[in-house]
Amino acid sequence: MKNISINIDKVAIFASKSCIYAYENKVKACSDMLEKGNGKGNDFLGWLHLPASINNIQFAEIEASAKLLRQKCEVVIVAGIGGSYLGAKAIIEALSNSFQHLQKEQTNPTILFAGNNISEDYLSELSDLLTTKQFGIINISKSGTTTETALAFRLLKTQLENQVGKAEAQQRIIAITDKSKGALRTLATQEGYKTFVIPDNVGGRFSVLTPVGLLPIAVAGYNIRELVKGAVDMEKACGKNIPFADNPAAIYAATRNELYKQGKKIEILVNYHPKLHFVSEWWKQLFGESEGKDNKGIFPAAVDFTTDLHSMGQWIQEGERIIFETVISIANPNKRVLIPSDKDNLDGLNFLAGKRVDEVNKMAELGTQIAHVDGGVPNIKIELPELNEYYLGQLLYFFEIACGISGYLLEVNPFDQPGVEAYKKNMFALLEKPGFEAETKAIKTRL
Ligand code: PA5
């Protein structure tokens, strides 16, 4: 089985190979810190050897719960925010037919997401849709107190109980949360919900290979064992005995840190298949929350090409030269479409007749890479042989381990996120939450 690969040839004119290979010892020190658990945030390293630790009993338990929801529900709502939904959404979208929801024959339940915004319109429209559906809920919150998620769950739980009765609703709700503490754990115990545990030492954005990601992905009908197998194999490919030049995560971490040092403050993750859009969203959270602190950090942005070449393409080609691109390229798409010949050829496309659409996409990719490099944008390429569970599992772990190394290279704690509390504190003060009286008083003087 092949592995995903990284190519930094198109970085060379901005940062030489020797300059990047000079990171070897620093990267090794960062990898050692992860391995020995003696770096910053070392109480959140549970993700490091997680894939290989998942045993048959754990897989079977997740698959059994997935089967139950699949039997009972046409729609399953995953309530969660940040790390408690992005991984599942990324993998489900990447593997799903782009028009799955509109297909007549539904072999899998539709997975919808809630609890990741506070939009009244969204919640109302979701509620309207569910009125005529057999639905279930996977409620995911490590802390159990996240407002967005708790609010959506309160509404969904009430609706489900009204539609099918309390006893049946209890069968269709699964909670994924801390093993012993938090409001969701208390609620789940009180209501008798089936639960799965988010390990203490795994932070939200590193939790996709725990039940947080695996259960929704299994409910959607995808092979979680293959996904995890990919991650296990990538763990080996990035292992401590792999030489720097052969370790894709080491190369990626070193390259992006060198580019950052040279003033490339924004990394744009690029895809050429719109179903990878949420892989980029997951990646943005992973790197953004891990590195953006202490007034440091590469800003993670993302575009879907060729779509965004017609909007952001101008900026990327000629705007301020503070960016670099990391392209996720799929070597062989799963489908095959040949371009037909047309007798009138009014659109002038007959020169492409008989070619695969992907050949055009690949030339757009190559042409864009050359243009952007010419325009001063360094280009890293990550290639997946195919888009399937196995290679997505590799990709997830590749980014996780690269993120850990990269954060340590930057000398930040890659495993905390103190900055996300600021908005919550203000929101609670403005909503006059009990316990926030002093904050309420203070913030009101500023309005
Ligand atoms: O990465 C993180 O820790 C956050 O994005 C959390 O995943 C997010 O805030 C949701 O938290 P919780 O699972 O506690 O509801």
Side-chain angles (χ1 to χ4, degrees):
M1 196 76 93
K2 281 192 209 156
N3 278 347
I4 64 169
S5 58
I6 182 163
N7 185 324
I8 56 164
D9 290 351
K10 295 292 180 283
V11 172
I13 59 165
F14 307 93
S16 67
K17 244 189 185 149
S18 59
C19 186
I20 289 164
Y21 279 43
Y23 277 76
E24 180 170 355
N25 288 338
K26 277 197 222 157
V27 166
K28 190 173 175 336
C30 296
S31 302
D32 283 350
M33 272 199 284
L34 288 172
E35 207 51 58
K36 290 183 184 145
N38 58 6
K40 291 179 185 170
N42 57 3
D43 41 350
F44 282 99
L45 292 174
W47 55 273
L48 192 61
H49 299 302
L50 175 84
S53 76
I54 306 175
N55 60 36
N56 204 27
I57 297 170
Q58 290 164 319
F59 277 125
E61 192 186 355
I62 293 171
E63 286 160 350
S65 289
K67 191 172 168 200
L68 196 94
L69 284 180
R70 287 170 62 81
Q71 280 164 351
K72 285 180 177 284
C73 307
E74 311 167 73
V75 176
V76 174
I77 315 295
V78 177
I81 194 167
S84 291
Y85 96 103
L86 281 166
K89 174 108 173 157
I91 300 305
I92 292 169
E93 288 226 342
L95 293 171
S96 296
N97 183 301
S98 307
F99 308 102
Q100 182 127 318
H101 298 177
L102 296 173
Q103 260 154 17
K104 272 214 180 92
E105 294 294 310
Q106 292 290 349
T107 43
N108 295 311
T110 299
I111 311 296
L112 298 178
F113 293 84
N116 56 62
N117 62 63
I118 322 177
S119 164
E120 195 160 343
D121 285 356
Y122 186 92
L123 290 166
S124 166
E125 287 158 13
L126 178 63
S127 166
D128 289 348
L129 174 90
L130 295 176
T131 310
T132 57
K133 304 283 186 213
Q134 291 298 334
F135 77 96
I137 309 167
I138 303 174
N139 189 23
I140 309 176
S141 178
K142 190 175 185 196
S143 63
T145 52
T146 302
T147 309
E148 290 88 339
T149 306
L151 186 57
F153 181 65
R154 179 185 279 226
L155 291 163
L156 289 164
K157 171 181 185 283
T158 307
Q159 178 166 359
L160 185 59
E161 287 176 354
N162 289 341
Q163 280 180 215
V164 299
K166 212 166 159 53
E168 177 62 15
Q170 187 232 38
Q171 299 293 305
R172 294 192 197 179
I173 296 175
I174 296 178
I176 307 180
T177 189
D178 186 89
K179 70 174 183 314
S180 54
K181 55 183 192 301
L184 181 54
R185 170 57 59 187
T186 310
L187 180 75
T189 307
Q190 189 181 301
E191 300 281 344
Y193 299 148
K194 166 78 188 156
T195 61
F196 287 92
V197 170
I198 311 175
D200 277 346
N201 57 358
V202 179
R205 60 189 174 276
F206 287 86
S207 69
V208 56
L209 297 169
T210 73
V212 169
L214 297 182
L215 179 63
I217 293 166
V219 175
Y222 298 111
N223 188 334
I224 55 173
R225 292 177 193 246
E226 275 296 297
L227 185 81
V228 171
K229 186 168 180 292
V232 171
D233 287 352
M234 188 43 53
E235 187 186 327
K236 289 180 197 143
C238 302
K240 61 174 188 294
N241 297 324
I242 305 292
F244 179 82
D246 299 329
N247 180 333
I251 296 285
Y252 180 53
T255 305
R256 60 196 298 285
N257 276 272
E258 174 57 24
L259 291 170
Y260 179 62
K261 224 172 77 190
Q262 293 189 17
K264 305 293 184 192
K265 305 235 179 243
I266 300 171
E267 178 176 9
I268 306 179
L269 195 72
V270 178
N271 69 66
Y272 282 82
H273 293 272
K275 55 175 65 175
L276 292 178
H277 178 86
F278 269 89
V279 169
S280 300
E281 294 301 311
W282 171 82
W283 170 89
K284 272 160 63 178
Q285 187 205 3
L286 181 67
F287 280 88
E289 269 191 352
S290 299
E291 294 189 322
K293 52 198 70 163
D294 306 341
N295 296 326
K296 293 194 265 192
I298 297 170
F299 182 84
V303 289
D304 302 325
F305 284 170
T306 61
T307 314
D308 292 334
L309 283 170
H310 297 256
S311 55
M312 294 304 290
Q314 173 60 36
W315 200 104
I316 295 168
Q317 189 69 46
E318 295 182 347
E320 198 175 348
R321 303 297 70 189
I322 52 169
I323 55 173
F324 66 98
E325 286 179 319
T326 298
V327 178
I328 300 183
S329 182
I330 308 294
N332 298 300
N334 291 321
K335 305 282 167 61
R336 196 180 163 82
V337 177
L338 296 180
I339 300 167
S341 176
D342 184 271
K343 117 174 135 20
D344 297 326
N345 194 29
L346 292 177
D347 55 13
L349 288 182
N350 269 357
F351 75 104
L352 296 174
K355 290 189 193 298
R356 286 182 67 179
V357 170
D358 191 57
E359 201 174 324
V360 182
N361 206 22
K362 287 288 187 313
M363 290 310 108
E365 186 179 319
L366 185 57
T368 305
Q369 184 195 57
I370 294 168
H372 287 182
V373 171
D374 286 349
V377 181
N379 191 288
I380 300 171
K381 179 170 163 176
I382 295 163
E383 189 176 77
L384 275 66
E386 283 166 45
L387 190 55
N388 59 24
E389 287 95 328
Y390 178 74
Y391 290 119
L392 284 167
Q394 286 200 4
L395 188 70
L396 293 174
Y397 190 83
F398 160 76
F399 277 137
E400 286 182 354
I401 182 89
C403 183
I405 297 170
S406 208
Y408 279 163
L409 282 175
L410 199 61
E411 296 179 358
V412 299
N413 175 354
F415 307 115
D416 66 359
Q417 56 286 326
V420 299
E421 296 310 311
Y423 97 91
K424 294 183 193 170
K425 199 179 106 204
N426 287 347
M427 178 176 73
F428 293 145
L430 291 164
L431 287 167
E432 301 183 18
K433 183 174 174 171
F436 282 75
E437 290 75 13
E439 287 86 351
T440 300
K441 206 166 151 215
I443 205 162
K444 287 210 165 157
T445 62
R446 296 175 56 188
L447 298 178

